[in-house]
Amino acid sequence: MDTQTLNFNKVHFVTSAPDIRHLPNDGGVEIAFAGRSNAGKSSALNTLTKHKNLARTSKTPGRTQLINLFELEPGKRLVDLPGYGYAQVPLEMKLKWQKSLAEYLQRRESLKGLVILMDIRHPLKDTDMNMLEWSSHRQLPVMLLLTKADKLSPGPRNNQVIKVRQAVANLGSQIQVEAFSSLTNIGVEKLAQTLTEWYVSGDDTDLLDADEQQPVEE
């Protein structure tokens, strides 16, 4: 698709919510970032938007405890979801995060695409596969970012990307796998292009749905 890339630098914070009941109205197009708590999710969002502190980063994984909403322009939002998996937090809090994450993924109709982040050295953990299988079942487009790609030299990095692509091929063509690095900007342009296409196609879907709902004149 020959589409001019959106200006992700124009993003601004909207709200933080403990669950979907505290989010704004469920309209427009949302693209959510999800991943294990040590996958580099916040760093990826900051790199994409060129805002150093848009999403809070920490040396202690699991600091994203709420659903964080950011707006690029009216009707186009980025969503930073609570991390899953690794976080060293009390079990009760971890279960609460998991519940709000599951509710958002299952019930938020404006969700039109999902960016799932995995450390390129440790991809496709059980929780990652659960997310991919759910996304495939819902037919939701996924960009799987293999983060911290700068940790590997080009040969092993490319081999890992190919290996992961082969591993998820049976889940359908909706999953796109790319290497990514917040430090060296590997994959940043590709991420921006893909998200732009999702926003545009999501808008088209909303317009189509609206047209389909118009009464037929006899």
Side-chain angles (χ1 to χ4, degrees), residues 12-216:
H12 64 273
F13 173 77
V14 177
T15 189
S16 292
D19 52 55
I20 61 173
R21 286 169 289 281
H22 292 83
L23 291 175
N25 289 339
D26 192 359
V29 180
E30 291 180 356
I31 296 173
F33 281 57
R36 288 170 58 81
S37 300
N38 58 342
K41 179 165 53 67
S42 297
S43 295
L45 275 165
N46 292 342
T47 301
L48 171 68
T49 60
K50 299 179 182 179
H51 284 253
K52 289 182 65 176
N53 298 308
L54 181 75
R56 187 172 62 173
T57 60
S58 172
K59 292 182 179 179
T60 304
R63 293 298 297 272
T64 303
Q65 303 175 14
L66 302 169
I67 299 172
N68 297 308
L69 229 62
F70 308 93
E71 189 170 69
L72 295 166
E73 55 186 60
K76 294 180 173 64
R77 296 180 294 276
L78 287 169
V79 185
D80 185 14
L81 295 173
Y84 54 82
Y86 175 84
Q88 296 177 339
V89 296
L91 178 60
E92 181 179 357
M93 181 174 290
K94 187 179 294 188
L95 292 174
K96 184 178 180 180
W97 293 357
Q98 291 173 350
K99 180 180 178 182
S100 64
L101 174 63
E103 281 185 335
Y104 175 84
L105 293 172
Q106 293 169 7
R107 297 172 55 187
R108 191 72 172 171
E109 294 186 6
S110 53
L111 175 63
K112 303 298 184 182
L114 190 61
V115 180
I116 300 179
L117 301 97
M118 307 177 194
D119 188 321
I120 193 168
R121 300 162 297 177
H122 315 289
L124 302 178
K125 300 292 186 181
D126 288 346
T127 45
D128 296 325
M129 292 304 299
N130 289 341
M131 289 287 288
L132 290 169
E133 289 167 359
W134 173 87
S135 302
S136 176
H137 178 72
R138 186 177 161 179
Q139 296 184 320
L140 190 71
V142 171
M143 190 167 194
L144 196 168
L145 291 186
L146 297 175
T147 62
K148 308 180 185 180
D150 55 280
K151 301 292 186 182
L152 299 180
S153 56
R157 180 195 308 150
N158 293 336
N159 289 339
Q160 189 73 318
V161 171
I162 293 171
K163 182 179 178 181
V164 172
R165 285 175 178 167
Q166 292 172 341
V168 302
N170 65 322
L171 294 176
S173 60
Q174 293 274 72
I175 302 175
Q176 176 181 343
V177 181
E178 302 291 342
F180 186 89
S181 171
S182 296
L183 288 178
T184 61
N185 289 329
I186 295 171
V188 175
E189 183 177 349
K190 186 66 175 178
L191 174 62
Q193 290 173 347
T194 298
L195 266 56
T196 297
E197 292 172 7
W198 287 356
Y199 281 119
V200 172
S201 62
D203 277 346
D204 290 344
T205 300
D206 290 342
L207 290 172
L208 179 62
D209 290 345
D211 290 341
E212 289 175 345
Q213 292 170 8
Q214 295 297 322
V216 177

